[in-house]
Amino acid sequence: MNNFKGGMYVIGSATLFGMMPILAKLSYKSGSNVQSTLFLRFLFSSIMIYIYLKYKNISLKLNINILILVCTIGFLGYSLMSIFLFTSYNYMSVGVASMVFFIYPTIVSCISFIIFKEKITKTKFVSLTLSTIGIITIIGIRENKIKSIGLIFVLLAALSYSAYVIGINTKLVRKVNNIVITFYVVITCTITTGIIGLFTNSINFRINYTGIIYILILALISTVIAFILFLEGAKIIGSSKSAILGTLEPIVTLFLGHIFLDEKLNFRVIVGCLLVVISMVFLGKKDARKLKCVNRKNMI
């Protein structure tokens, strides 16, 4: 019964995370833009997480060295990832963008091999091969009108998030409460997107009420609640099973994009996406506990 409950928590989390690109795209259509949506999302999320931490009586105190490290990781990893990924939605369908983005576990494996000399196992090699074939299948489809600039942005997002995953899983950071880390990462992202928005004059507050509602839902439902659900589920069923169930996220985005944004689906897109998902499941089943690279425990 507990396993079922934990599984439902993680599935619910993946579903809510999968709604995020849809809500972002809908906010764009309501007068917002990338910088405005991100700034308000992180601002609202930081307030909500702060309230949650106070309600749970969780201390925000961190060693200064850990605080600097977390903020640096938040800036170089999560802030840049968010900007790149949300920008890619302007050039390609959110479903395809989410699928391509989910090659980050494979990128983590490659970076770990190059920098940390971590062995490439047969499992990782098969996963890398499947995800590569899947991505080539997806981006080779002219009917989807994937612009090269959009592909570049989403690949940069995957690279940035890979750096974030590696940084957040260092021994120094792993000792800290995940929600506390998330709070400081969100604060860093709020400051980063705010400063960039001010200097580029790209923050637009002339968003209609519908757009504000979409961003509030994005912050509350697809960020804070989704994150808490994942944490609760992972405690019950463990990181490996959670990682595998988390692969539902891009599938949810793909089909919600088709339903709400009228984004095209065809046989080759589905085949390419299935290959990416299989590669994630294959890697997650064997190596999730060790790599934690498909574990959404630290993602916001």
Side-chain angles (χ1 to χ4, degrees):
M1 185 65 182
N2 281 339
N3 281 339
F4 175 78
K5 183 179 180 181
M8 292 306 296
Y9 278 151
V10 176
I11 290 172
S13 171
T15 302
L16 296 182
F17 272 126
M19 293 168 55
M20 181 169 60
I22 312 301
L23 292 166
K25 200 72 175 280
L26 289 173
S27 74
Y28 298 168
K29 292 183 178 182
S30 300
S32 188
N33 56 30
V34 173
Q35 214 61 44
S36 304
T37 298
L38 284 174
F39 172 69
L40 291 175
R41 173 207 174 191
F42 289 129
L43 178 62
F44 294 151
S45 296
S46 61
I47 295 171
M48 294 171 189
I49 295 173
Y50 179 79
I51 293 172
Y52 177 81
L53 289 168
K54 286 298 180 182
Y55 174 75
K56 290 288 186 177
N57 199 28
I58 298 174
S59 174
L60 287 168
K61 292 182 179 179
L62 284 183
N63 176 282
I64 186 64
N65 292 329
I66 296 178
L67 179 61
I68 292 173
L69 178 59
V70 169
C71 291
T72 301
I73 293 169
F75 168 67
L76 295 177
Y78 209 87
S79 292
L80 294 181
M81 179 280 291
S82 300
I83 293 170
F84 290 141
L85 187 60
F86 275 55
T87 301
S88 74
Y89 299 154
N90 286 323
Y91 301 99
M92 60 198 300
S93 73
V94 294
V96 173
S98 296
M99 278 294 175
V100 175
F101 173 74
F102 261 73
I103 66 167
Y104 78 82
T106 303
I107 295 176
V108 170
S109 294
C110 292
I111 293 175
S112 297
F113 170 72
I114 295 170
I115 297 178
F116 304 111
K117 308 301 179 184
E118 193 169 285
K119 185 180 178 182
I120 295 289
T121 63
K122 290 181 180 179
T123 299
K124 294 175 189 175
F125 179 76
V126 172
S127 178
L128 173 62
T129 302
L130 287 174
S131 63
T132 301
I133 294 173
I135 297 304
I136 291 173
T137 302
I138 293 171
I139 66 178
I141 302 167
R142 294 181 180 179
E143 302 95 291
N144 281 291
K145 299 179 181 177
I146 298 175
K147 296 183 180 180
S148 58
I149 185 66
L151 182 61
I152 291 171
F153 275 126
V154 76
L155 289 175
L156 286 172
L159 183 61
S160 298
Y161 189 66
S162 298
Y164 172 79
V165 169
I166 291 172
I168 215 70
N169 280 293
T170 56
K171 290 182 179 180
L172 194 62
V173 178
R174 278 207 305 260
K175 298 176 182 178
V176 185
N177 184 300
N178 290 312
I179 302 180
V180 174
I181 291 175
T182 300
F183 173 74
Y184 284 110
V185 169
V186 171
I187 288 293
T188 302
C189 291
T190 304
I191 295 171
T192 301
T193 53
I195 290 174
I196 292 175
L198 288 174
F199 274 94
T200 59
N201 197 31
S202 57
I203 291 184
N204 171 31
F205 290 113
R206 294 187 295 275
I207 308 169
N208 62 38
Y209 292 114
T210 305
I212 294 295
I213 290 173
Y214 285 138
I215 296 172
L216 278 170
I217 295 173
L218 174 62
L220 176 61
I221 304 297
S222 293
T223 302
V224 178
I225 293 179
F227 174 74
I228 293 172
L229 282 177
F230 187 88
L231 282 180
E232 291 299 316
K235 287 178 184 177
I236 299 172
I237 65 174
S239 61
S240 295
K241 291 180 181 178
S242 298
I244 294 170
L245 290 176
T247 59
L248 287 171
E249 181 189 331
I251 299 175
V252 170
T253 301
L254 188 71
F255 285 96
L256 287 181
H258 176 65
I259 295 170
F260 291 102
L261 301 176
D262 198 29
E263 295 181 346
K264 292 183 180 180
L265 276 180
N266 56 46
F267 179 73
R268 289 184 64 184
V269 171
I270 294 173
V271 169
C273 292
L274 282 175
L275 287 172
V276 175
V277 171
I278 291 171
S279 75
M280 289 187 289
V281 172
F282 196 64
L283 181 63
K285 188 175 182 180
K286 299 292 183 181
D287 294 312
R289 288 188 182 276
K290 183 178 180 181
L291 292 175
K292 298 182 181 180
C293 63
V294 289
N295 192 331
R296 292 303 299 269
K297 181 170 64 173
N298 291 307
M299 186 162 185
I300 47 181

